Amino acid sequence: MSIESRDITAIDALYRISSLTSSTDDPSEALQIILDEMVQVLEASSASISMINPETNTLRIEVYSGLPADTDSLQLPLGRGITGWVAQRGESLVVPDVTKDSRYVKIKSSIRSEMAVPLEEQGTVIGVVNVDSENVDAFDDHKLKSLTLLTNEAAKVVSRLWLIRQLKTKAGQLQSLINVAGRLVSKIELPEVLLDIVRESRSLLGSRMCALFLLGKDHTTLRLASLIGADGKPVKYREVIQTGDCSMGTVVQHQKSIEAPDISRSEEHHFTELIRKENLVSMLSVPITYEDEPIGVLNAYTNNHHRYNNDEKKLLETMARMGAVAIQNARLYARVFSSEDSLRKTEKLTTLGLLAAEIANEIRNPLTVIRLLFDAMDLQFPHGDMRGKDVEVIHEKLNQLEDIVSRVLQFGKARQDMHARCNIDQLIEDSILLIRLKLKQNQIGIIHQKAPKSLYVNCNKGQIQQLLLNLMINAMEAIIQKTLSAQEKEERQTIRILTALKSNNGVERVIVRVSDTGAGVAREIQEHIFDSFLTGKKDGTGLGLSISKRILKSHRGDIQLLNSGTEGTTFEFWLPQA
């Protein structure tokens, strides 16, 4: 082909290349069309366009023509081969005979000559265009000029297409953020909010995994709250780390994003097993803050070496900001619902208080008559007769009933004068005496393990006995309700009561532990078992344990559920030692 004909062909090719932006929006498709034009104009047997990966500093063949099928898997470091030499130096090169050039990396055995031109964008080399021939000395300076001209036009076209793609990608991301914001605002359950944040973050960044950690109240720990795996599904994984043990602590403290290009070489101490299992390599960690207050961190992970660009960082930071608002909203909703529950309970308690005062007023008169008649009977029994002890107990309980009625009618008034120094083991023995017949009737044993020495507490004797009776009756009913096997029926069911002395921050406490072999407390109510009106019994009021806790609080003590399961339940309460 004459030079004039080649010039006309090159001009036609230039026109077709420059008009590609109106016929396609896919950079890869445009590169393939450009390459085919170059092969035709330069009468080449094969050609390729390689692009530089700035993260790995390697060249990877994006499109090719006339080369083996596995050519696109070849990656060359900058400086290696003719292509690497051109990319590193930014200079064009014509090799008349590749067999005599030590830089040549053989891809196809029939290639004899090669020409390579750098592909530049705004003065920066971003790739290399190669054309090959099966003839020696197939390319001259004129063809090199034609290739350079076509390559420069190709760079402009590809740059425009990349810019269009980036704009479309950003528009898509913006639309996704708007959609995500709408979904997050509509969620009121905190676990759902956290899950949506990590799921959408992973989708937007195309990450391998995404995780969200919440900052503890003491600001010294980070707890994994939500994790999305490579399949886009939640991953069950427990992780609590100290803020000083990893870079995420720095993210929280300074409220700045941190990038870890290689987790294995950084000072990260989280997800140790998961990092190995999923081959996680790079991490981007951004702070979640609300009104300058840290809430936690949002992390994105990749399974290859990746340097996050500014767009990716801004995208994850935007997700973190939206997530912070959604988390705060969910927490506020939870507080509102909690306040509503408290108001309902308060309303119930107010109604119950009015009803209790009315009932107490009605009880007082017949109770006074009963007490007077009982005192007038002057019942006397021989020494050692258990009926004599029963008479003493009845007299004491009549006094206690009158005291309860008086307390209800004078609710809210302090009665410190009713507190006295009492032996806790004696109180327990007296309480056991009151339910001994019921225990015997149900074939339930009771074991009271006393402390090595007598322990005393300042208390309202009637209130503490009320507390003990409540715990023992609950234990007895739990044993009765339990479905027993034939073997268990032959064994004697037991309630155990233990008293001990423990020191807590220099304060001596009297500990009482009540254990049973019953069915246990339902798992779903264990955390709220001391709330008013919460009960697991069909005929229960839900006030027994709530009142017990209030009694202990008024005595500067407390109660807790130590454990509960199919083997039984253990409650423990404490009072300050007198």
Side-chain angles (χ1 to χ4, degrees), residues 43-180:
E43 300 174 334
S45 60
S46 58
S48 64
I49 298 179
S50 304
M51 305 303 294
I52 297 175
N53 184 337
E55 295 177 2
T56 59
N57 281 329
T58 57
L59 280 158
R60 181 178 179 276
I61 296 178
E62 291 289 330
V63 292
Y64 58 92
S65 175
L67 294 174
D70 60 347
T71 300
D72 55 357
S73 63
L74 179 65
Q75 291 192 31
L76 288 174
L78 292 184
R80 186 185 173 194
I82 293 171
T83 306
W85 186 92
V86 171
Q88 189 177 55
R89 292 175 176 258
E91 299 175 9
S92 300
L93 183 66
V94 176
V95 181
D97 189 349
V98 295
T99 61
K100 297 179 180 179
D101 196 309
S102 59
R103 292 168 295 188
Y104 179 67
V105 175
K106 185 184 290 186
I107 297 178
K108 186 178 179 182
S109 59
S110 60
I111 293 175
R112 288 294 176 265
S113 59
E114 182 174 346
M115 182 167 52
V117 174
L119 185 67
E120 297 183 359
E121 181 183 22
Q122 296 179 353
T124 301
V125 178
I126 60 172
V128 177
V129 177
N130 292 72
V131 291
D132 314 307
S133 175
E134 295 180 355
N135 299 318
V136 176
D137 201 14
F139 305 112
D140 54 22
D141 289 341
H142 190 80
K143 285 188 176 182
L144 179 61
K145 289 178 182 178
S146 297
L147 179 60
T148 303
L149 189 63
L150 292 171
T151 300
N152 290 340
E153 188 62 31
K156 294 175 185 177
V157 170
V158 172
S159 295
R160 286 195 292 269
L161 291 175
W162 279 340
L163 180 59
I164 291 170
R165 171 162 286 191
Q166 287 175 356
L167 290 174
K168 287 184 176 180
T169 301
K170 288 184 179 180
Q173 290 173 344
L174 180 59
Q175 186 60 51
S176 297
L177 286 173
I178 293 171
N179 296 337
V180 170

Side-chain angles (χ1 to χ4, degrees), residues 4 41 108 110 291 346 425:
E4 291 78 7
V41 170
K108 186 178 179 182
S110 60
E291 294 183 350
T346 302
D425 284 319

Side-chain angles (χ1 to χ4, degrees), residues 435 438-439 442 444 471-481 495 516:
I435 64 167
K438 189 73 173 175
L439 291 170
N442 290 283
I444 297 173
L471 290 176
M472 286 190 284
I473 291 171
N474 283 351
M476 180 179 66
E477 290 178 348
I479 291 172
I480 294 171
Q481 291 174 3
I495 298 172
D516 64 59

Side-chain angles (χ1 to χ4, degrees), residues 219-232:
H219 285 208
T220 62
T221 58
L222 283 164
R223 176 183 62 83
L224 178 63
S226 191
L227 174 65
I228 288 290
D231 56 359

Side-chain angles (χ1 to χ4, degrees), residues 334-364:
R335 289 176 193 171
V336 169
F337 294 147
S338 177
S339 298
E340 286 182 356
D341 288 341
S342 298
L343 287 172
R344 292 191 191 99
K345 290 178 182 179
T346 302
E347 185 179 352
K348 287 182 180 180
L349 288 172
T350 301
T351 304
L352 185 63
L354 293 172
L355 183 61
E358 186 177 340
I359 294 172
N361 190 54
E362 294 295 325
I363 290 174
R364 169 170 268 182

